[in-house]
Amino acid sequence: VASGLAAIHVYSARMPKECLSAMSFAFRSEEFTARYDVPTYAAWLAAADPVPAYAMHRRVLRVLQRGAPPRRWVLKSPVHLHALPTLLATYPDARIVVTHRDPAAFLASVSSLIVTLRSVHSDAVDPVAVGRYHLDLYGRSLDRLVDHLDDGTLDPSRVAWVPHADLVADPAAVLRSLYGRFGVDLPDDLLAVMTAADQGTAEAGAHRYSAADFGLDLDEVQERFSRSSARLEALGAGR
């Protein structure tokens, strides 16, 4: 239904799913804002206490793990950036991997995904409004990330910083480095599974997008993210 979605984000019933879906059971999730333009809900979500969402997130993991041996979960969603203190309170032993790249690129990429998802449910999707929404959302969250580093909320020994370009160029090397940094044994079959998934993504075609498509001025973006970009680039270079 969403034309071109496969080139943006590959979905399958047998693939992993971003863990923000677990939060949807608590009705506090960007899964809803990704699909529907409801400004009153978006404003409510921005001000809402994230604790119930993370309590539900943990409950879903417990249900999925029920009856199985203890395991280490690998979870992924950019929404955790918006509530890191709550994440750490819910999972005190969590390790965190932060990927980073040029702000204009990731803002255009996520805006392209959201515009495509919303087009399934509406004939009136405003790409510029979507772009401005993400400029504000991630501008605030990345500034808070720097604050968490400065005030000790984030323990540097529990955080790894990965330039997006490195992940794209050699994902296997990045994975080995991450597991080594955190002192975790790398499962024998993991690289093979990852390589197969990577191939499926490549076969879907290229995701093409431009900051201008979403009303994002490059100078404005660079200025808004200058503080967080400088910090993340320095951390990535010295990881």
Side-chain angles (χ1 to χ4, degrees):
V1 177
S3 177
L5 180 60
I8 301 174
H9 196 306
V10 179
Y11 293 91
S12 166
R14 295 186 179 274
M15 289 179 63
K17 178 77 169 68
E18 278 195 21
C19 59
L20 86 163
S21 296
M23 300 175 177
S24 296
F25 294 112
F27 199 63
R28 302 178 185 221
S29 172
E30 285 188 31
E31 195 164 41
F32 301 123
T33 59
R35 287 162 173 74
Y36 315 105
D37 179 19
V38 184
T40 50
Y41 174 79
W44 175 84
L45 180 65
D49 183 357
V51 169
Y54 277 89
M56 180 61 73
H57 185 280
R58 186 172 185 271
R59 184 177 183 181
V60 168
L61 294 189
R62 288 169 60 86
V63 169
L64 293 174
Q65 188 168 318
R66 183 177 181 273
R71 68 179 68 178
R72 181 180 298 277
W73 287 89
V74 180
L75 306 168
K76 179 259 181 182
S77 179
V79 303
H80 296 306
L81 182 67
H82 313 320
L84 284 171
T86 306
L87 168 67
L88 294 171
T90 306
Y91 303 110
D93 59 346
R95 295 344 187 234
I96 299 173
V97 179
V98 180
T99 59
H100 61 95
R101 60 172 164 164
D102 175 67
F106 82 71
L107 288 174
S109 178
V110 69
S111 296
S112 175
L113 171 63
I114 299 311
V115 165
T116 302
L117 290 174
R118 287 187 180 180
S119 70
V120 176
H121 306 283
S122 174
D123 293 327
V125 180
D126 184 348
V128 172
V130 172
R132 302 300 302 184
Y133 172 81
H134 288 111
L135 174 67
D136 176 64
L137 176 66
Y138 284 98
R140 287 185 284 109
S141 290
L142 283 167
D143 278 342
R144 281 198 299 268
L145 174 61
V146 175
D147 292 339
H148 295 327
L149 289 168
D150 290 342
D151 65 18
T153 299
L154 281 179
D155 178 355
S157 68
R158 294 170 54 188
V159 183
W161 314 92
V162 178
H164 181 261
D166 291 359
L167 186 61
V168 172
D170 196 344
V174 169
L175 200 64
R176 290 192 190 95
S177 174
L178 290 172
Y179 272 73
R181 172 179 173 78
F182 293 136
V184 180
D185 292 333
L186 182 64
D188 294 335
D189 62 343
L190 186 55
L191 292 179
V193 171
M194 186 179 69
T195 300
D198 235 20
Q199 183 177 359
T201 302
E203 291 173 353
H207 177 200
R208 294 183 172 83
Y209 47 83
S210 166
D213 295 338
F214 307 99
L216 298 169
D217 177 79
L218 296 182
D219 290 336
E220 180 186 9
V221 171
Q222 295 302 327
E223 181 178 356
R224 179 65 184 84
F225 288 85
S226 59
R227 177 183 179 227
S228 56
S229 292
R231 177 66 67 87
L232 291 176
E233 287 171 8
L235 290 168
R239 68 193 184 284

